[in-house]
Amino acid sequence: MTIVPAIAAHGLRKSYGDKTVLDGIDLTVPEGTVFSLLGPNGAGKTTAVKILSTLVSPDRGSGEIRVGGHDLAADPQAVRAAIGVTGQFSAVDGLITGEENMLLMADLHHLSRARGRRVTAQLLERFDLVEAAKKPAASYSGGMKRRLDIAMTLVGDPRIIFLDEPTTGLDPRSRHNMWQIIRELVADGVTVFLTTQYLEEADELADRIAVLHDGRIAAEGSAEELKRIVPGGHVRLRFTDPAAYHAALAALGEVTRDDEALALQIPSDGSQRELRSVLDRLDTAGIEADELTVHTPDLDDVFFALTGSTVPVQSSKADQPEEAAR
């Protein structure tokens, strides 16, 4: 039995004038998973979301793009019926109440009055917005507006949701609440296409991650797979007894030494096997370290290595070339 991915794009291209934003990228997202697209500002993340959600057309020469099993070029309306989109900027109307925002979305989806009210009530309860439902949305906190935004996206019961930097500007508690909502959606079988500049967010949520740089996919895999492509993992041993320090130096062979701190650093991939090897050599020599720490490369290391960035800029602005095109 052939499994149809939720999203499949081949040779996706987009340019604005002489600026190439997407340079022939391939994306495959299995159903019921979280796929995260990482990249610095201007990398093309928002452009990719807008193309896959039918808001922007790809360049001629792009390969086939299928979303929800539908050909994006041949049947964009079927694609729209299968997806929901929460963009960087809230679609909430602050002049009306949260409930009225939901009912308006139900009308746009051509739900009957009874069904619209039923779906609205269910989603307001699910997103803990019942008490605020009758208040103007302008009075909501940032986290509440984001929850309402996603609740509005779910009115049409989409099986694929595009979340474009959904937690930008939220406080840590609201961000963690949003993560729990995303996990619950995936547990219900929804596919989530997530763009983010928060590396911890991708690490926490994504089944697969692609790093976008200069219009191309620089690397793709699970968080653990990506971390393994970056060197720099090590075990650090610190001693308080100079004699034990020098004995460990002799027993362990090639290590990086810090005589002032009485610390040794041994290259390691962080695996249990390598850690056991270090400890066995110390035990054989009758040496005990006072402190042992293990460092494995994280997504920050991957991001910096692949994009050349020193800091992943966190901003609510869309990709710059696209902004200029408007």
Side-chain angles (χ1 to χ4, degrees):
M1 179 179 177
T2 303
I3 299 176
V4 178
I7 301 169
H10 303 286
L12 181 57
R13 299 180 183 278
K14 187 65 180 178
S15 299
Y16 293 99
D18 60 357
K19 174 63 176 179
T20 299
V21 182
L22 299 175
D23 191 12
I25 68 172
D26 297 333
L27 297 171
T28 302
V29 182
E31 290 185 344
T33 64
V34 178
F35 181 92
S36 182
L37 193 60
L38 288 180
N41 269 356
K45 303 185 301 298
T46 294
T47 300
V49 167
K50 290 193 172 185
I51 290 173
L52 295 173
S53 59
T54 77
L55 297 175
V56 170
S57 298
D59 286 350
R60 290 184 179 181
S62 294
E64 184 180 40
I65 304 170
R66 302 188 72 85
V67 179
H70 306 289
D71 188 303
L72 187 141
D75 198 357
Q77 192 57 41
V79 171
R80 294 183 192 115
I83 67 173
V85 182
T86 298
Q88 290 183 21
F89 305 103
S90 175
V92 171
D93 186 338
L95 298 179
I96 60 178
T97 68
E99 183 180 53
E100 288 168 340
N101 270 281
M102 295 289 293
L103 292 173
L104 176 60
M105 190 59 64
D107 288 341
L108 292 174
H109 281 282
H110 306 292
L111 303 186
S112 68
R113 182 178 295 269
R115 186 183 174 198
R117 290 195 172 280
R118 184 170 63 253
V119 169
T120 291
Q122 291 170 347
L123 289 171
L124 288 172
E125 182 174 1
R126 178 176 183 179
F127 287 87
D128 193 24
L129 291 168
V130 174
E131 290 186 10
K134 303 292 186 181
K135 298 177 182 178
S139 67
Y140 288 13
S141 67
M144 291 170 67
K145 286 180 181 176
R146 224 41 178 143
R147 296 205 307 273
L148 178 59
D149 216 359
I150 293 184
M152 291 164 62
T153 300
L154 295 180
V155 167
D157 194 26
R159 305 312 296 162
I160 302 169
I161 297 178
F162 293 92
L163 298 178
D164 191 13
E165 300 191 19
T167 63
T168 295
L170 297 186
D171 62 80
R173 181 184 297 276
S174 296
R175 185 174 298 125
H176 280 265
N177 288 341
M178 189 62 63
W179 291 357
Q180 186 57 36
I181 289 170
I182 293 171
R183 292 187 184 102
E184 291 170 0
L185 290 173
V186 176
D188 289 341
V190 173
T191 303
V192 174
F193 188 104
L194 171 73
T195 74
T196 182
Q197 294 183 66
Y198 293 110
L199 305 181
E200 180 190 9
E201 187 160 271
D203 204 354
E204 282 281 338
L205 297 174
D207 297 289
R208 290 189 70 77
I209 299 167
V211 181
L212 189 61
H213 181 54
D214 287 341
R216 295 178 177 271
I217 300 296
E220 182 179 343
S222 67
E224 293 307 313
E225 288 170 343
L226 291 180
K227 292 172 189 177
R228 284 198 292 269
I229 70 176
V230 178
H234 61 264
V235 175
R236 185 175 187 272
L237 304 172
R238 191 182 64 80
F239 301 84
T240 56
D241 180 1
Y245 168 70
H246 287 287
L249 183 61
L252 295 173
E254 292 189 14
V255 297
T256 300
R257 57 191 290 175
D258 182 343
D259 293 339
E260 184 176 347
L262 298 181
L264 302 176
Q265 187 170 296
I266 305 104
S268 169
D269 62 6
S271 67
Q272 183 176 328
R273 174 181 54 79
E274 286 207 1
L275 183 57
R276 184 183 296 115
S277 173
V278 171
L279 294 176
D280 285 346
R281 280 184 283 169
L282 291 176
D283 285 343
T284 299
I287 305 165
E288 184 171 336
D290 294 281
E291 183 181 293
L292 182 152
T293 57
V294 179
H295 173 80
T296 55
D298 55 22
L299 282 185
D300 291 64
D301 299 316
V302 175
F303 187 95
F304 301 155
L306 294 175
T307 68
S309 299
T310 55
V311 177
V313 180
Q314 296 171 358
S315 169
S316 60
K317 293 183 179 180
D319 299 319
Q320 297 304 315
E322 187 174 346
E323 288 288 296
R326 289 202 294 270

